[in-house]
Amino acid sequence: MNRPGIGLAACMTVLAALWTTAGRAQDAAEKEIEKYRAMISDPMSNPGYLAVDRGEALWREKRGAKGVSLEGCDLGLGAGKLDGAFAKLPRYFKDADRVMDLEQRLLWCMQNLQELDTKDVVARRFSGPGRQSDMEDLVAFIANKSNGMKIDIPLSHPKEQEAAAVGEEMFYRRGGVNDFSCATCHAEDGKRIRLQGLPNFAKPGQAPRETMASWPTYRVSQGALRTMQHRLWDCYRQQRWPIPEYGSDGITALTVFLQKQAAGGEINVPSIKR
């Protein structure tokens, strides 16, 4: 007499055992990856610090029609003040009447302070083989000045509050050919893509704090320093959404929401990731 129920139960038991074994293997592999990251996290070993050095030179370089440096750029704490500025971005800027992230603000300063034609800067917004990015280097330098400080973006201005609300809506908005949203991957605990753990941004806590406080980062797999603008651009690309415009208000709004969830995270950049 056939007993199909017993066969099914046995198969489910085997699959559960295989799943558990695979999960343990993934955990072990991720621990080894963390050991590797720790080994090369020292500034003398992390290639991301080369971008920090290049960014410092760019910050002081006189460019544009006015022949001035970016040292007069106000990132929220006063002209030329960098210590802690990144920890409070994005934020509202009265002179531009907009909420801006760091990359938006740098473009604004280049255009308005230096009178620099930023067409080439935007074209090289993300580095590639034989092509360095001014933006990646500047972000690395400026963000590094907030190391050891806590993420603490201001949310008192109505436009800052609006940006946080828009960013939250974008986080949950499904679309594209795959009907994905940010929340598809980042609204539950314990999710993975292959060996990569996926932080849960749906609730404030350790996961968003650790994640947001580690950008910009040096991506070993890409051999380049990457900013949050690149991370979000690449997320939308992988979701098969239309690729967002660089420095768009939408990406800034999403960053405001993510930084809100990450409040209190201690910044340590440039970090290093796979």
Side-chain angles (χ1 to χ4, degrees):
M1 183 176 181
N2 291 331
R3 303 286 295 276
I6 294 176
L8 178 60
C11 287
M12 293 300 293
T13 300
V14 171
L15 286 173
L18 289 173
W19 183 262
T20 300
T21 302
R24 288 172 178 167
Q26 286 181 326
D27 289 338
E30 193 159 336
K31 287 179 181 178
E32 291 303 314
I33 291 172
E34 287 302 321
K35 288 181 183 178
Y36 168 73
R37 288 174 180 162
M39 289 170 59
I40 56 176
S41 62
D42 184 271
M44 297 301 292
S45 305
N46 183 345
Y49 278 87
L50 296 174
V52 173
D53 292 341
R54 291 193 299 267
E56 182 174 9
L58 283 168
W59 178 256
R60 304 184 191 287
E61 183 180 347
K62 295 179 179 179
R63 300 198 294 179
K66 289 189 175 180
V68 298
S69 73
L70 286 169
E71 292 169 295
C73 181
D74 182 359
L75 298 178
L77 302 182
K81 295 182 179 179
L82 301 182
D83 292 351
F86 182 71
K88 295 182 177 296
L89 288 168
R91 67 185 300 156
Y92 174 76
F93 289 90
K94 185 177 181 180
D95 53 10
D97 194 28
R98 292 170 66 190
V99 176
M100 295 176 166
D101 74 348
L102 177 54
E103 288 166 81
Q104 273 185 312
R105 186 60 179 176
L106 285 170
L107 282 175
W108 190 91
C109 284
M110 290 174 183
Q111 294 161 357
N112 293 276
L113 180 66
Q114 295 180 307
E115 291 189 3
L116 177 71
D117 183 352
T118 57
K119 185 183 300 183
D120 178 61
V121 174
V122 172
R124 295 183 295 107
R125 60 196 180 278
F126 308 138
S127 60
R131 185 182 75 249
Q132 289 185 347
S133 165
D134 290 359
M135 275 300 181
E136 289 175 350
D137 293 344
L138 282 165
V139 169
F141 166 63
I142 294 165
N144 180 253
K145 291 291 186 179
S146 288
N147 272 1
M149 302 181 190
K150 308 285 188 182
I151 295 173
D152 181 27
I153 64 168
L155 290 168
S156 59
H157 193 278
K159 290 198 174 183
E160 293 167 343
Q161 296 166 8
E162 179 185 32
V166 170
E168 183 173 7
E169 174 66 22
M170 290 178 65
F171 180 80
Y172 288 102
R173 175 64 61 89
R174 301 175 72 99
V177 296
N178 292 327
D179 194 31
F180 277 9
S181 69
C182 301
T184 302
C185 292
H186 294 287
E188 296 178 43
D189 294 332
K191 278 195 169 184
R192 296 177 185 267
I193 292 181
R194 297 179 294 275
L195 290 178
Q196 184 68 33
L198 299 172
N200 181 356
F201 286 109
K203 56 185 180 182
Q206 182 179 357
R209 285 196 294 265
E210 290 182 350
T211 302
M212 296 303 290
S214 65
W215 286 83
T217 189
Y218 181 81
R219 300 295 300 268
V220 175
S221 59
Q222 299 176 20
L225 188 287
R226 296 305 190 197
T227 67
M228 183 52 60
Q229 281 271 350
H230 183 276
R231 174 66 273 175
L232 296 178
W233 169 84
D234 201 34
C235 282
Y236 276 111
R237 180 190 65 82
Q238 292 180 69
Q239 292 180 70
R240 304 300 187 265
W241 277 63
I243 294 176
E245 181 181 349
Y246 180 71
S248 68
D249 290 336
I251 291 298
T252 294
L254 181 55
T255 304
V256 171
F257 170 69
L258 296 176
Q259 291 285 73
K260 178 184 175 183
Q261 301 297 85
E266 185 173 313
I267 296 170
N268 184 20
V269 294
S271 66
I272 192 159
K273 299 183 186 292
R274 63 171 180 81

